[in-house]
Amino acid sequence: EVVKLLLDAGANADAKEPTRGQTAMMWAAIEGHADVTEVLKSREADVKAKTLGGYDSIMYATREGHTDVVKALLDAGVDVNEKTPEGMTLLNLAIFNAHYDTASLLVNRGADVNLADRAQGPPLANLMKMRRSAGCQTPCPRNPDAPASRELAKLLLDNGPTLNASVPAGRGGGA
């Protein structure tokens, strides 16, 4: 309601704060406010705007596991195979942050299950790393064997991953 009032009063939906260049859409994505995301979209806010560091709203929503915001941004035309400035795919970003429901949405919306990160490798290998305690990233999933991670593994397998894809050296490729 407040966002609508501000926009009705002439606030710029794409205004960027000066420190990092973040927009209202990015803040809505970070905080998981799907309703605000929809209001901003209806006012033609730029869903693909980048921060000074090259991040955008879908990267923030994916990292935080806000599946409903990710869906809204994909509905607005954001590329499901987009990569962060460091070269991490949205799918791997969701996996490494243990947001398996968000990762499943990305796969169901067409994320390439064979698209490897520059340094981390393909999604299926990364999911298996997350399921091993030695491969646990931050945040470590409370229950890496949770049904959501098993369901995601099945979904990845059902979508035709290259099972013998190479994993970058030093990134969990050994026995």
Side-chain angles (χ1 to χ4, degrees):
E1 195 67 29
V2 173
V3 173
K4 287 181 186 176
L5 290 172
L6 289 169
L7 293 170
D8 288 344
N12 179 354
D14 289 324
K16 292 186 174 190
E17 55 83 20
T19 306
R20 292 188 179 94
Q22 294 175 327
T23 65
M25 183 70 77
M26 292 171 195
W27 280 103
I30 291 166
E31 297 297 325
H33 296 298
D35 55 337
V36 174
T37 302
E38 292 297 340
V39 169
L40 291 166
K41 280 176 30 181
S42 74
R43 301 298 179 96
E44 299 183 14
D46 185 359
V47 295
K48 298 178 184 179
K50 304 276 187 194
T51 65
L52 298 176
Y55 290 87
D56 63 17
S57 298
I58 200 164
M59 292 173 196
Y60 288 122
T62 300
R63 182 191 69 194
E64 300 300 322
H66 298 308
T67 306
D68 50 348
V69 176
V70 172
K71 181 184 180 307
L73 294 168
L74 291 171
D75 289 346
V78 176
D79 181 8
V80 72
N81 289 309
E82 182 175 311
K83 291 186 177 186
T84 68
E86 297 80 20
M88 182 175 281
T89 64
L90 295 174
L91 181 52
N92 276 331
L93 185 61
I95 289 170
F96 278 126
N97 284 284
H99 299 308
Y100 304 130
D101 291 340
T102 303
S104 293
L105 170 71
L106 293 166
V107 173
N108 285 326
R109 294 296 294 269
D112 184 343
V113 299
N114 288 306
L115 190 58
D117 289 348
R118 192 168 34 215
Q120 299 295 337
L124 184 59
N126 291 326
L127 178 61
M128 294 305 102
K129 283 191 284 188
M130 287 298 293
R131 290 175 53 90
R132 291 189 342 241
S133 60
C136 188
Q137 303 284 319
T138 301
C140 185
R142 289 188 190 108
N143 180 2
D145 230 8
S149 71
R150 288 193 304 272
E151 290 168 15
L152 176 58
K154 183 178 181 335
L155 183 62
L156 289 168
L157 287 167
D158 288 347
N159 279 274
T162 302
L163 295 178
N164 296 316
S166 64
V167 177
R171 301 292 180 175

